[in-house]
Amino acid sequence: QVHLVESGGGLVQAGGSLRLSCAASGLTFSRYAMAWFRQGPGTEREFVAAISRSGGATYYADSVKGRFTISRDNDQKSAFLQLNALKFEDTAVYYCAADHTILTAQPGRVPSAYDYWGQGTQVTVSS
């Protein structure tokens, strides 16, 4: 059974930083592209960042480009999201997701592209 477990969320002041982690089990991690999405109150789930199976390619939403960094460690079966220069509007539940895909495929930017999801971790940024 596949499990994705996020951690690292919390309350932080605007301008601060957090590092989110996503620990995977029950799957061959290196065969999955990984992504982070977020969902704020009353909003739809939106794409934040994605990383290819090898970690060699990364993709970001325009709203977080230059502030957030996605990475992965295939040996640890984990993905990470470094959040810097946080803004009030970054407040949301952050979800990691896994997409079983071919090696050269570019990760999707819509939730329907992903096979597995974690339960989410809350990030709250105070202004």
Side-chain angles (χ1 to χ4, degrees):
Q1 190 172 3
V2 175
H3 289 285
L4 300 178
V5 180
E6 301 95 335
S7 61
L11 173 64
V12 63
Q13 288 187 333
S17 298
L18 285 173
R19 180 176 170 84
L20 307 184
S21 299
C22 173
S25 61
L27 51 74
T28 304
F29 188 71
S30 60
R31 294 182 180 176
Y32 287 76
M34 298 298 296
W36 289 89
F37 286 77
R38 67 186 181 186
Q39 188 166 16
T43 67
E44 295 187 351
R45 195 166 296 190
E46 66 171 354
F47 172 79
V48 175
I51 188 166
S52 63
R53 284 174 46 175
S54 68
T58 56
Y59 309 88
Y60 297 93
D62 288 344
S63 59
V64 307
K65 200 172 297 182
R67 301 188 297 122
F68 293 6
T69 303
I70 189 171
S71 60
R72 66 187 294 158
D73 185 326
N74 285 350
D75 291 334
Q76 291 188 17
K77 296 186 176 182
S78 294
F80 308 95
L81 187 67
Q82 178 69 40
L83 292 68
N84 294 331
L86 281 160
K87 304 176 182 179
F88 176 75
E89 51 264 40
D90 294 319
T91 295
V93 177
Y94 283 71
Y95 299 89
C96 72
D99 173 25
H100 188 240
T101 184
I102 62 174
L103 183 63
T104 56
Q106 179 172 327
R109 293 178 177 241
V110 295
S112 59
Y114 290 82
D115 304 303
Y116 300 106
W117 292 83
Q119 82 290 347
T121 185
Q122 176 71 47
V123 172
T124 303
V125 184
S126 62
S127 57

